[in-house]
Amino acid sequence: MSNTDSRLLILLLSRRDTLSESEAEALAGLNLCNSDHAHGETIVAGGDADAETVSFVVSGMALRAQVTLSGAEVISAVHVPGDFVDLHGLVLERLDHSVRAQGACRVQRIEKRELSALFREYPRLARVFWKQTLIETKIHRAWLAAGATLRANERIAHFVCELHARYAAIGLVRGNSFPMPLEQKDLDSLFGLSRAHANRAVQELRARGLLEWTRGTIAVTDLEGLRRLGKFDGRYLELGPRRRAD
Amino acid sequence: MSNTDSRLLILLLSRRDTLSESEAEALAGLNLCNSDHAHGETIVAGGDADAETVSFVVSGMALRAQVTLSGAEVISAVHVPGDFVDLHGLVLERLDHSVRAQGACRVQRIEKRELSALFREYPRLARVFWKQTLIETKIHRAWLAAGATLRANERIAHFVCELHARYAAIGLVRGNSFPMPLEQKDLDSLFGLSRAHANRAVQELRARGLLEWTRGTIAVTDLEGLRRLGKFDGRYLELGPRRRAD
DNA sequence: CGATAAGTTGATTCGCATCAACTATTGTGG
DNA sequence: CCACAATAGTTGATGCGAATCAACTTATCG
């Protein structure tokens, strides 16, 4: 089930850097392999399995889940269409987490050896992929800062703002609403909150008229207010215009 | 004040991947520029300043500090000798944080253009530097997980274990003690704890006989106990043996 | 040796975990 | 299509972890 529809891949990379003709052609020549996953299915297993591919999300949502020594599961990243889920696996030996589908999720896989070969021919492309991993790192830092300074309702507000911005960048915000594959019960492994308390925080956001959250969809009714509450400054996502690197 | 003593640079990179003769030679040919900083001094300014160099720590400690919209300062990384403090600045346009000296700190700077030129000639080296940034990202994830699951005393235990492991890897643990340029008052911007509570947590670690912490030095008196309390599994630091990438 | 900053202690308040019930929703098989 | 089971969401009561404010003690340094 290999196909060569690399439009999304090229689109997502050109959001990061201007691609030359030949670079785009080379990318278009990659073998991409679609892979569909039902809710809860493991897309990439963590730990010792040395995967042969790296994957990016085509549709749906994927979560990175790591299990701590105490047995708790922590979600360290959420992925929307256009995000690589395990690009760092190209360079690091083994993943420190697994990736699973949150709702139905389709990914495309690229053979690591093909990608590495591509980098040897077009070294500048390696930098574009590198940049992709660095933006994820900035998101990690934003989460760290949020965790250190915000309270439950503020953190949730921050997170909703982030999702809104990321969905907006890929054209998935309609009016003021966007898909929300996560459920309230998932907020605890995202933020380390109890279900009960996360629920009360969400209800407060609703009561303040900041958002509506029904199963599967969030409608942001007061984006400015939500940003103010969550101390959200979306620049860290680097979704604005980009410049070409050396 | 340029010098060419690139031994530390080559040492730290070869901890990540086996370097070929020619790669090592090329690295040795880089112009490195020493730069000394007193406690509290800014080593790299965040924000709009487009720095021309990237730096790694030679001695002492450097902190990454980001300021949130609410005005609070968050430490998102600590750097010990051998760590790059702003390598991601090579690929990203602007830094989302500043870097400052914690205690006296010496760094060496490399011109970005020199490094980029090096990557064009030795594309595989780019991968080694990429890997360096990815390991930092793993540390971020470990902190995220710690923040979501651990309580104050456990988080501090976890952090002390991490520092112990990183100092051990560079030969700076003597007996069971290592340098601790951070003071208790810094723990609040690291973990989002208040000074009073961080202090009580530290005292509990002392009372349990896990560590001694006098100004400037930590002695770990029960490493196993500290690891158990902090749920510390140091594999994420990738300080073990490494393999050569493509 | 005084001044300043770091560390310590206590009292109080608040955010959040925990446990437990309960309701609403979704999904499923008869 | 309905009845039921399973799961998500909601609400309340209680206790603990951590913030906050304030005083105080101990280091550090000029």
Side-chain angles (χ1 to χ4, degrees):
Chain A
M1 87 187 161
S2 162
N3 76 37
T4 50
D5 185 357
S6 50
R7 281 172 304 180
L8 178 59
L9 175 63
I10 291 172
L11 182 68
L12 79 91
L13 291 172
S14 59
R15 261 178 23 208
R16 295 305 173 207
D17 204 332
T18 309
L19 300 176
S20 73
E21 285 275 311
S22 58
E23 285 166 349
E25 264 172 43
L27 286 166
L30 284 172
N31 283 308
L32 301 179
C33 177
N34 277 327
S35 149
D36 286 296
H37 301 271
H39 173 69
E41 243 179 84
T42 297
I43 298 175
V44 184
D48 24 34
D50 255 59
E52 304 279 319
T53 62
V54 294
S55 309
F56 61 93
V57 176
V58 175
S59 65
M61 177 176 273
L63 303 181
R64 275 191 211 169
Q66 42 193 143
V67 176
T68 69
L69 270 193
S70 53
E73 189 193 69
V74 178
I75 305 298
S76 58
V78 308
H79 299 294
V80 300
D83 293 343
F84 277 92
V85 302
D86 58 353
L87 184 50
H88 47 298
L90 184 70
V91 176
L92 294 172
E93 273 99 82
R94 54 185 58 187
L95 291 182
D96 52 337
H97 61 260
S98 57
V99 180
R100 68 157 186 270
Q102 180 67 24
C105 179
R106 164 174 290 186
V107 301
Q108 282 185 337
R109 300 185 189 273
I110 311 173
E111 291 288 327
K112 286 182 182 178
R113 65 182 62 195
E114 270 196 65
L115 208 48
S116 292
L118 192 70
F119 291 169
R120 277 191 290 273
E121 193 165 0
Y122 299 91
R124 210 191 60 92
L125 274 183
R127 219 176 235 251
V128 181
F129 282 80
W130 185 358
K131 185 173 185 179
Q132 203 76 15
T133 64
L134 291 176
I135 289 169
E136 270 182 22
T137 306
K138 291 182 73 175
I139 298 179
H140 284 340
R141 278 197 288 272
W143 287 23
L144 279 171
T149 61
L150 303 183
R151 289 189 260 108
N153 55 347
E154 300 169 329
R155 290 195 64 185
I156 294 173
H158 184 97
F159 178 65
V160 172
C161 288
E162 180 185 312
L163 273 187
H164 178 88
R166 290 167 70 182
Y167 274 121
I170 53 178
L172 287 184
V173 174
R174 241 179 242 150
N176 55 9
S177 27
F178 57 87
M180 183 51 162
L182 289 162
E183 295 173 318
Q184 284 192 32
K185 77 164 158 37
D186 303 309
L187 295 185
D188 61 347
S189 34
L190 256 172
F191 302 122
L193 297 171
S194 70
R195 239 181 54 242
H197 196 67
N199 176 265
R200 281 184 259 258
V202 169
Q203 287 180 63
E204 202 211 301
L205 301 184
R206 287 202 268 247
R208 288 199 192 200
L210 300 175
L211 55 76
E212 286 157 20
W213 180 353
T214 58
R215 188 56 80 86
T217 305
I218 285 184
V220 176
T221 42
D222 179 2
L223 185 54
E224 252 328 295
L226 202 62
R227 286 184 172 154
R228 224 175 310 118
L229 181 66
K231 276 87 180 175
F232 180 78
D233 176 355
R235 281 176 296 181
Y236 69 90
L237 294 168
E238 304 231 349
L239 297 171
R242 68 283 167 285
R243 74 171 186 197
R244 184 175 169 88
D246 299 325
Chain B
M1 88 185 164
S2 162
N3 77 37
T4 49
D5 185 358
S6 51
R7 280 173 303 181
L8 178 59
L9 176 64
I10 291 172
L11 183 67
L12 79 92
L13 291 172
S14 60
R15 257 176 29 206
R16 295 306 174 206
D17 204 333
T18 309
L19 301 175
S20 73
E21 286 273 314
S22 57
E23 286 165 349
E25 264 171 45
L27 287 166
L30 284 172
N31 284 308
L32 301 180
C33 176
N34 278 328
S35 149
D36 285 296
H37 300 271
H39 174 68
E41 243 179 82
T42 298
I43 299 175
V44 184
D48 21 36
D50 255 56
E52 305 277 319
T53 62
V54 294
S55 310
F56 61 92
V57 177
V58 175
S59 65
M61 176 176 276
L63 303 181
R64 277 192 208 168
Q66 44 193 141
V67 176
T68 68
L69 270 193
S70 54
E73 189 192 71
V74 178
I75 305 299
S76 57
V78 307
H79 299 293
V80 299
D83 293 343
F84 277 92
V85 301
D86 59 353
L87 184 50
H88 47 298
L90 184 70
V91 175
L92 294 172
E93 272 98 82
R94 55 184 58 188
L95 290 182
D96 53 335
H97 61 259
S98 58
V99 180
R100 70 158 185 269
Q102 180 67 25
C105 179
R106 163 174 290 187
V107 302
Q108 282 186 338
R109 301 186 188 274
I110 312 173
E111 290 288 327
K112 286 182 182 176
R113 66 184 60 199
E114 269 196 68
L115 206 48
S116 293
L118 191 70
F119 290 170
R120 277 190 291 274
E121 193 166 1
Y122 299 91
R124 209 191 62 91
L125 274 183
R127 216 176 237 253
V128 181
F129 282 80
W130 186 358
K131 185 173 184 179
Q132 204 76 14
T133 65
L134 290 175
I135 289 169
E136 270 182 23
T137 306
K138 291 183 75 176
I139 297 179
H140 284 341
R141 278 197 287 274
W143 286 23
L144 279 172
T149 61
L150 303 182
R151 289 191 261 106
N153 54 348
E154 299 169 330
R155 291 194 62 186
I156 294 173
H158 183 97
F159 179 66
V160 171
C161 288
E162 181 186 312
L163 273 187
H164 178 89
R166 290 168 69 184
Y167 275 121
I170 53 178
L172 288 184
V173 175
R174 241 180 243 146
N176 54 10
S177 29
F178 57 86
M180 182 50 162
L182 288 162
E183 295 175 319
Q184 284 191 33
K185 77 165 158 39
D186 303 308
L187 296 184
D188 60 348
S189 35
L190 256 171
F191 302 122
L193 298 170
S194 69
R195 241 185 47 248
H197 196 66
N199 176 265
R200 282 185 257 259
V202 169
Q203 286 180 63
E204 201 212 301
L205 301 183
R206 287 202 267 247
R208 288 199 192 201
L210 299 175
L211 55 77
E212 286 158 22
W213 179 354
T214 58
R215 189 56 80 87
T217 305
I218 286 184
V220 176
T221 42
D222 179 2
L223 186 53
E224 252 327 295
L226 203 62
R227 286 184 170 153
R228 224 176 308 117
L229 181 66
K231 276 89 180 175
F232 181 78
D233 176 357
R235 280 176 296 181
Y236 69 92
L237 294 169
E238 306 230 349
L239 296 171
R242 69 283 166 286
R243 74 169 184 199
R244 184 175 169 87
D246 298 326

